């Protein structure tokens, strides 16, 4: 394989200047998971009080173990997110075990969404969602500071309009 060839088994090319998402996304994800775990544990506690059975404590232990494992994975997963702006397209990467590289041509974008839920807003984060004609080729970039999300939205919109397609 020559230096110009890219392996399909290594979908994240090193020749691209990747921009990471904010590390605050880790905190947002961990808080969201904690809320879910507290609700599930409360439900299991009520179930255990109403019907004393060995399965309730076992379910509670499984929930805690899964939450701990998923929290460790979340830290690495957030670090795997990245995006790169090129001349004709936007690259978005993510994934640990299954790596995913989405390449969205500017000319194929139909519209760009910027969203921020209450927890994201509390940590000054936003998500940019790119929509194309094919739902399978949509891409999102979570964990961006609001000013970067607005800049990216405006740039993608301008590039899509310049291509006379999509946006």
């Amino acid at each position: 394989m020559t230096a110009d060839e890219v392996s399909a088994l290594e979908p994240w090319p090193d020749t691209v200047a990747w921009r990471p998402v904010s590390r605050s996304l880790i905190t947002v994800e961990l808080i969201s998971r904690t809320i879910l775990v507290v609700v599930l544990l409360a439900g299991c506690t009520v179930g255990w009080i109403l019907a004393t059975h060995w399965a309730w404590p076992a379910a509670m232990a499984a929930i805690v173990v899964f939450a701990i494992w998923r929290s460790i994975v979340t830290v690495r997963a957030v670090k795997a997110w990245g995006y790169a702006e090129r001349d004709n397209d936007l690259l978005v990467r993510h994934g640990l075990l299954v790596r995913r590289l989405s390449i969205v041509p500017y000319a194929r974008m139909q519209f760009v969404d910027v969203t921020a839920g209450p927890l994201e807003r509390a940590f000054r984060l936003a998500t940019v969602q790119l929509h194309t004609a094919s739902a399978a080729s949509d891409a999102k970039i979570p964990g961006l500071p609001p000013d970067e999300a607005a800049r990216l939205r405006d740039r993608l919109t301008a590039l899509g309009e310049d291509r006379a397609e999509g946006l």
Side-chain angles (χ1 to χ4, degrees):
M1 184 161 52
T2 66
D4 293 338
E5 294 177 5
V6 177
S7 168
L9 298 177
E10 185 54 50
W12 297 353
D14 291 332
T15 57
V16 176
W18 293 104
R19 298 182 75 166
V21 299
S22 172
R23 296 294 184 241
S24 296
L25 183 60
I26 295 170
T27 306
V28 170
E29 293 290 328
L30 293 177
I31 290 172
S32 297
R33 181 156 305 105
T34 300
I35 292 169
L36 176 63
V37 167
V38 167
V39 169
L40 290 174
L41 290 177
C44 287
T45 301
V46 169
W48 191 17
I49 290 169
L50 296 176
T52 320
H53 192 270
W54 65 269
W56 291 111
M60 293 166 72
I63 289 169
V64 169
V65 168
F66 180 75
I68 291 169
W69 172 78
R70 192 66 188 110
S71 296
I72 293 168
V73 170
T74 295
V75 173
R76 293 196 56 221
V78 167
K79 291 179 181 178
W81 275 99
Y83 66 99
E85 301 170 67
R86 298 195 303 186
D87 291 339
N88 295 314
D89 50 28
L90 178 76
L91 281 66
V92 180
R93 72 175 190 187
H94 63 94
L96 292 174
L97 188 59
V98 177
R99 293 180 176 182
R100 180 179 176 120
L101 174 66
S102 298
I103 302 172
V104 183
Y106 299 132
R108 306 290 286 163
M109 283 187 258
Q110 291 188 327
F111 65 97
V112 179
D113 276 338
V114 177
T115 59
L119 197 51
E120 287 176 304
R121 286 192 311 271
F123 284 88
R124 300 203 30 80
L125 296 176
T127 297
V128 173
Q129 176 85 36
L130 312 165
H131 297 278
T132 63
S134 170
S137 63
D138 289 356
K140 74 173 183 175
I141 307 169
L144 296 177
D147 55 337
E148 173 62 9
R151 184 204 64 81
L152 189 59
R153 176 201 61 214
D154 294 344
R155 182 169 191 278
L156 295 175
T157 302
L159 287 168
E161 289 172 351
D162 286 347
R163 304 302 193 273
E165 297 181 44
L167 297 170

